[in-house]
Structures are given as C-alpha cells and as structure tokens.
Amino acid sequence: MARLIRRYSDGTRINHWMVALLFLCAGLTGLAIFHPVFWFFTALFGGGTWTKILHPFFGLLMVLGFVFLFFQVWRDNLWQPRDSEWMRRSPRLLRGDEDAMPPIGKYNAGQKGVFWLFAVCLLVLFVTGFVFWQPYFANAFPILLRRIAVLLHAIAAFLLILGVIIHVYAAIWVKGSVRAMTRGWVTPAWARRHHPLWYRQVNGDQ
Amino acid sequence: MSSLQSLDIAARSATTTATPQARHTPEVAKLIDVSSCIGCKACQVACMQWNDLRDEVGVNVGYLDNPPDLTPKSWTVMQFHEVEMKQPDQSTRLEWLIRKDGCMHCADPGCLKACPSPGAIVRYSNGIVDFISENCIGCGNCVTGCPFDIPRLSRTDNKAYKCSLCSDRVAVNLEPACAKACPTGAIRFGTKEDMLEFGAERVAELKQRGFVQPAIYNPEGVGGTHVMYVLQHGDQPEIVGLPAHPTISPLVGLWKGLAKPLAAVAMVGAVLAGFFHYMKVGPLEVEEDEEDESREDRRKRENQSMEVK
C-alpha cells in the first residue's frame, strides 16, 4: 500500500461535517417554507411552526461553522491565472477527459468557485435573514426592506443549494474525494492524478 | 373561523391542488362611506366585543386615533385625518376625514400569496380572506405580502391576526359586527354588486353636494376588494392613508410567483443532471497502474534522496 497523504486534519473534517449537517437542517427547513412541494420536510422537524422557529437558528449555526472553515481554507482558494485556463477547459473534464486539464494545486478552479459561492451566499443569507426574522428582529425594519431581504435570501439560498449539489456530485464523481473528507487521507496516485502541483508540494520535490 | 369545512374555499395558501369548493356563495362586500362617518368608534367597540378581544390599555398620543395603529387585538381602528383641502378660489378649507382602517379582503390577496403554510390563509368564494390560526407558523410573510400593511403578528403567540370580516357571522347570514353597530349607516354590508350600486348613488350625491371627484375605492391592482370605501376625494386616496394604486409588490410577485417554481425545477433538475452525468460519463477514477506508478515514483525519489545523503 502506497504511503497515504493527509489532506484534511481532524479539526477541519469535524468542522466540515458540522457545517454540512447544519446545511442539511437549514436547507430542508428553508425549502419547506419556500415551496409547498417541499412542505413535507416540516414533518422531520416537528411541524410547520417548529420548522419556522428552528430554521434561523440552524442557519446562524451553519454560518458560524463556515466562518471557522473559511479561515482554514481561504488561502488555498485564492484565484490564480491557471484557474482561468482550467475553467476554459472544464467542459472537456465534464466529458471525462482529465488529461486535457492543466496541472493544479490543492484545489481546482471548480472547487474554488464553489468555495467563494458558498462564502458570498452565506454572507447574504446571514445579513438578510435578520431583516425578516420573526419575532426578534423583523419589526425593526421597514416592510420594503423586508421584501427585498426575503427575495435576496431566496436567491442566495437557491444558489447555495445549487452549489452544494455540484459540490456533493463532484465528490461522488471523483473517486477518493469522499474518503479525503471522511478519513482525512488520499493516496499518492489520487493526489498526483487530480492535484499534481499539490502532490509535488507535499512531497517537497518541486 | 377554523378549518376548511366550509366547502366554499376559492383559494388556499401554499397549496398546489384544488381547494374544497363544492358550495358557491355570492360575493359580499362592506362599503365604508367616509363622508358619513362621525368617528364614534362604535364599530371598533363592536369588533372588540364580537371577537372577544381586549387590547392593552394604551397611552393617549395626543389625538383621537386610539390605539394609534392596528394591533393583533385591534383588528379595526379609526384613523382621523385633518386635511387642508385647496378650494377652487385657491383658499384652503380644513376637512376632517375619518377612515376605518382594517383588512381590505383583496380578490388577489398579497398575504395569501406570500404565506408558506398550507391553508393558513384562505379566500372563501364570497370574497372573505381569513387567517386560519391553527395553520399559522408565525413567519410574518403575510405582513411582507400585504399591500395595505394590515396583518399584525402577536408577540404572545406568534400568530398573525387581522379583520376576518366576521366570517363566522357572515357564514350564518349576519352582517359584520361593525356594520351592525354603525349608528350613521356609514358601514353597509351586502353583495358586492349591491354595494357597488349603492356606492355609485352616494358618489352621485356627493357630486351634487359640490365634491369634484368623489369615487368608490375598489382598487383594480389587487383585483378589487371586498371592503370598499366611498371617498369624497376619490382622486387622492393617499390623504386618508390609502395607497393610490395598491398591487402586490413586484418583489413579492417575483419571489412567490416566478422564482418559486423555477428554483424548485432547477434544484431538482441539478440533482437529476448529476445522476445522469454519472451514468453517461462515469466516475473519475485513479487506475490501478497509476497507484503502482506512484509507488514507483516514490521508490525513485527515495533512492535519489539516499544518493544525496
């Protein structure tokens, strides 16, 4: 068995899964009160009223968890010139042709895009959520502002959920990624194949 | 009123299937003639007594409006407007315009559109828009959706409240308590058709009395309302605190109109797209020989570092 490479520390993984679970709770409660086709999710949270009560707290805790995660990984997610090239060639990756892709570091442009999408959406959700949070904060804001806030909240949540769907799919699609986030390690071949620059960096032979 | 047993529900919040509507009732309306209201507040008291509500004793804020605004326990409130009206000779004349504020019972209710809880807001076929408290989850979306700023969320039980047009009384062929109590006949209740007809007569009378543009307030933007006003100055409803062209805010329209189904389809579609992409393209896997290759690599590297040493 080849020497395994550590990709995520215990702390990062626990942090990631806390955020993921809270996303699931906030997402399901939010969807339940967004469109009637998702109303049945209220059954998981003790009915409509409890769903409404819990949703903002789930959201708040998720944002709090993401703040810690953000500071652990933001540096590796800074955009670089080769990321634009990767983005240009990404349709070929979607057809399964990974050899067409330029070499990348710890995260590829798709992962970086999803990361920044999460950061921006969660910030919008956090700020707008307070504006119509009944019964604590909503009455402090004029109704027009609440109308703008609910719409922005819905849009940001929609983009966040789309981002998570892409994020989850990519993890399932690229074999070995889920293990990186559950157990913390990847095989050298995995690293060399998907993140060659990062592989070289951790092996110290650039 | 409780539950959905009235069998004449034309619309129901957050519901994608048909409503129980085996029975059909004629459209009713309340006509409030601002020009013959004396501001006695008998309607306010009648509302309080019939619905058995006792609002907090408030503080007098220096004018007759009391309480100063609608509350979860004051479903109707008299608003006193002192207005300096311009006369044809450019002089001004003080007019005391008294309007009974409360739910308008829109044909296209913004509250119902914005409500996320199935059956928490219903519109009966007679036009009454009612809040079914047992289904209310206390989110306050009805407040966001209403073009008239009517619903009030209670601080004690987190349920939204507003005028029910005495749907319980109307269901048994009684008129609303406010109409029953009004001593001047300023509040009338009947079929919407009759009320429009009677209102037109009042408008003609007001014209004879010298008002330039009296009118019935039955705004088209919300599909008409089941609480209508006769206004002496029908061209400027704002002077009695009514919006000139009320509609469901385009923000709310976008949120609960187009965005809702589109977003649901897009999210479910994204999951399906992923599923079928996997079936078509398959996963990105690291081949067995690549594992071997990297092991080979490592061996080489280790050898190199040994050599360096």
Side-chain angles (χ1 to χ4, degrees):
Chain A
M1 187 66 179
R3 184 177 57 95
L4 300 174
I5 299 175
R6 191 131 185 96
R7 189 157 164 88
Y8 296 111
S9 71
D10 295 355
T12 305
R13 269 154 40 228
I14 290 170
N15 196 166
H16 171 270
W17 288 113
M18 298 243 307
V19 172
L21 288 172
L22 286 163
F23 166 81
L24 201 68
C25 294
L28 293 179
T29 51
L31 283 173
I33 40 190
F34 174 66
H35 192 295
V37 303
F38 302 119
W39 178 256
F40 69 96
F41 289 140
T42 57
L44 300 170
F45 299 94
T49 305
W50 269 113
T51 298
K52 184 263 143 200
I53 293 169
L54 292 172
H55 174 75
F57 291 102
F58 287 143
L60 200 61
L61 289 173
M62 169 175 60
V63 168
L64 190 70
F66 186 80
V67 167
F68 291 105
L69 202 59
F70 178 89
F71 285 110
Q72 290 169 57
V73 299
W74 75 275
R75 250 178 264 275
D76 290 321
N77 279 285
L78 292 176
W79 201 262
Q80 284 162 353
R82 65 167 169 275
D83 291 321
S84 307
E85 179 57 27
W86 190 96
M87 268 296 172
R88 264 194 295 281
R89 297 196 210 166
S90 58
R92 300 180 63 179
L93 180 67
L94 280 175
R95 290 196 290 269
D97 181 10
E98 198 175 7
D99 296 324
M101 307 309 287
I104 43 147
K106 187 162 186 185
Y107 299 115
N108 66 41
Q111 291 171 298
K112 289 181 184 182
V114 162
F115 171 77
W116 291 110
L117 178 74
F118 288 171
V120 171
C121 287
L122 284 170
L123 183 68
V124 173
L125 287 165
F126 176 75
V127 173
T128 56
F130 280 100
V131 179
F132 59 99
W133 189 349
Q134 290 283 11
Y136 309 117
F137 303 99
N139 294 331
F141 299 98
I143 289 176
L144 177 62
L145 199 61
R146 287 190 238 171
R147 286 176 183 156
I148 295 168
V150 283
L151 184 60
L152 289 179
H153 197 83
I155 292 169
F158 167 67
L159 293 175
L160 179 71
I161 292 169
L162 278 192
V164 170
I165 290 171
I166 293 169
H167 181 65
V168 170
Y169 177 67
I172 296 169
W173 182 39
V174 181
K175 291 296 160 204
S177 307
V178 173
R179 190 177 50 204
M181 200 39 101
T182 50
R183 308 301 311 279
W185 50 261
V186 293
T187 64
W190 185 95
R192 227 166 54 100
R193 179 89 181 125
H194 304 304
H195 300 274
L197 299 181
W198 176 66
Y199 173 75
R200 267 195 259 161
Q201 193 190 327
V202 292
N203 281 306
D205 56 342
Q206 297 167 48
Chain B
M1 284 270 275
S2 74
S3 116
L4 304 169
Q5 206 44 55
S6 74
L7 309 184
D8 54 355
I9 291 167
R12 178 159 67 141
S13 59
T15 304
T16 49
T17 53
T19 54
Q21 44 191 288
R23 184 186 302 138
H24 203 81
T25 45
E27 267 187 78
V28 294
K30 182 163 75 180
L31 185 75
I32 303 169
D33 183 0
V34 173
S35 67
S36 41
C37 173
I38 54 169
C40 69
K41 296 190 192 233
C43 54
Q44 231 175 284
V45 174
C47 175
M48 184 179 94
Q49 292 193 332
W50 174 260
N51 293 298
D52 204 6
L53 299 165
R54 299 294 181 274
D55 210 341
E56 300 293 309
V57 175
V59 177
N60 186 282
V61 287
Y63 45 90
L64 286 164
D65 300 47
N66 195 8
D69 196 8
L70 299 169
T71 74
K73 287 184 177 182
S74 290
W75 297 350
T76 189
V77 159
M78 306 307 292
Q79 287 184 2
F80 295 81
H81 299 275
E82 288 175 10
V83 189
E84 297 260 6
M85 291 303 296
K86 269 231 163 65
Q87 301 301 300
D89 63 356
Q90 296 305 307
S91 65
T92 56
R93 185 179 77 143
L94 179 76
E95 283 190 38
W96 211 31
L97 303 170
I98 309 160
R99 183 174 70 87
K100 173 186 179 307
D101 193 19
C103 177
M104 301 295 290
H105 298 272
C106 308
D108 182 15
C111 57
L112 191 148
K113 182 158 202 176
C115 176
S117 182
I121 302 179
V122 298
R123 179 167 58 81
Y124 300 113
S125 62
N126 65 11
I128 293 180
V129 178
D130 215 355
F131 284 8
I132 312 296
S133 303
E134 66 199 72
N135 296 331
C136 175
I137 62 171
C139 66
N141 282 2
C142 51
V143 181
T144 317
C146 176
F148 296 97
D149 184 22
I150 299 299
R152 295 288 182 266
L153 201 67
S154 166
R155 283 273 174 176
T156 40
D157 58 15
N158 286 313
K159 304 281 180 197
Y161 293 101
K162 68 162 189 70
C163 156
S164 67
L165 205 64
C166 284
S167 58
D168 47 354
R169 291 175 58 90
V170 173
V172 292
N173 273 338
L174 295 173
E175 60 189 330
C178 57
K180 177 91 179 165
C182 181
T184 66
I187 306 174
R188 286 186 178 251
F189 182 79
T191 64
K192 179 148 180 174
E193 205 184 340
D194 286 352
M195 291 304 106
L196 283 170
E197 206 174 297
F198 180 78
E201 283 171 28
R202 278 301 296 160
V203 166
E205 281 167 23
L206 287 167
K207 261 192 189 138
Q208 276 183 351
R209 274 169 51 187
F211 288 99
V212 185
Q213 275 185 297
I216 300 175
Y217 186 81
N218 174 34
E220 270 311 302
V222 288
T225 54
H226 296 87
V227 169
M228 302 185 292
Y229 292 97
V230 172
L231 302 176
Q232 296 99 308
H233 307 287
D235 53 331
Q236 342 170 33
E238 300 96 330
I239 59 173
V240 288
L242 285 168
H245 304 288
T247 52
I248 297 178
S249 161
L251 294 161
V252 175
L254 181 62
W255 167 45
K256 285 292 175 179
L258 200 61
K260 207 169 66 160
L262 272 187
V265 167
M267 287 183 287
V268 175
V271 174
L272 286 175
F275 180 78
F276 286 109
H277 179 264
Y278 195 92
M279 296 304 140
K280 172 80 171 62
V281 178
L284 290 185
E285 275 170 311
V286 180
E287 304 292 335
E288 282 281 321
D289 56 339
E290 282 186 82
E291 293 281 2
D292 296 340
E293 211 179 304
S294 63
R295 208 169 301 151
E296 194 63 33
D297 256 19
R298 187 162 56 97
R299 208 166 297 135
K300 251 185 251 167
R301 196 185 58 250
E302 280 165 2
N303 290 344
Q304 276 170 2
S305 60
M306 296 255 277
E307 280 162 28
V308 172
K309 275 174 193 165

